[in-house]
Amino acid sequence: MSRRTAAAVVAVLILAVTMGPIRAGAQQAQSEEIVRRAKNKIQPAYPELARKMKIAGTVKIEVVVAPNGTVKDARIVGGHPVLAGAALEAAKKWRFDPEARESSGVIDFKFEPR
């Protein structure tokens, strides 16, 4: 293992310890607040570093959905830091059915090494 790779692994492990436990779950909207049907669910790309390290887990992304069905805001609320960026980018691309008002909820993205 190169020095650069070792440094990256150490940095990821430090972040993983500070982020806390990962809860498993299916990839779906779970909050009772978000009752809209997702019309377009973008699957996150499995990060290459996570693939090399065989990292698995679930990332929770809280989304605010605008009345037109687009994701107005998204933030990471839990999960492994190596997986979180990919999940956040995917969640921002989801599209929901239009509704009269804004709504919010949590999407779980489950990652498994392949």
Side-chain angles (χ1 to χ4, degrees):
M1 180 182 307
S2 73
R3 204 176 272 190
R4 179 183 235 174
T5 303
V9 169
V10 169
V12 167
L13 292 175
I14 289 170
L15 284 172
V17 169
T18 60
M19 287 293 290
I22 299 171
R23 295 184 189 145
Q27 184 171 340
Q28 59 188 358
Q30 286 192 340
S31 174
E32 289 188 30
E33 293 179 43
I34 193 161
V35 293
R36 295 183 187 193
R37 183 180 67 86
K39 295 187 334 184
N40 189 11
K41 296 179 180 181
I42 303 301
Q43 298 299 317
Y46 193 87
E48 189 59 35
L49 179 59
R51 185 180 322 280
K52 288 178 182 178
M53 296 175 63
K54 297 182 179 163
I55 297 172
T58 301
V59 177
K60 293 182 177 291
I61 305 293
E62 181 180 38
V63 294
V64 176
V65 183
N68 67 0
T70 61
V71 175
K72 179 179 175 182
D73 190 31
R75 70 180 186 93
I76 302 162
V77 292
H80 198 289
V82 172
L83 304 171
L88 182 63
E89 289 306 310
K92 289 177 180 179
K93 296 175 184 174
W94 278 39
R95 297 296 175 258
F96 295 84
D97 283 338
E99 195 172 274
R101 61 183 181 88
E102 202 173 82
S103 59
S104 63
V106 176
I107 303 171
D108 287 356
F109 290 97
K110 187 173 183 180
F111 289 85
E112 295 176 357
R114 297 174 219 152

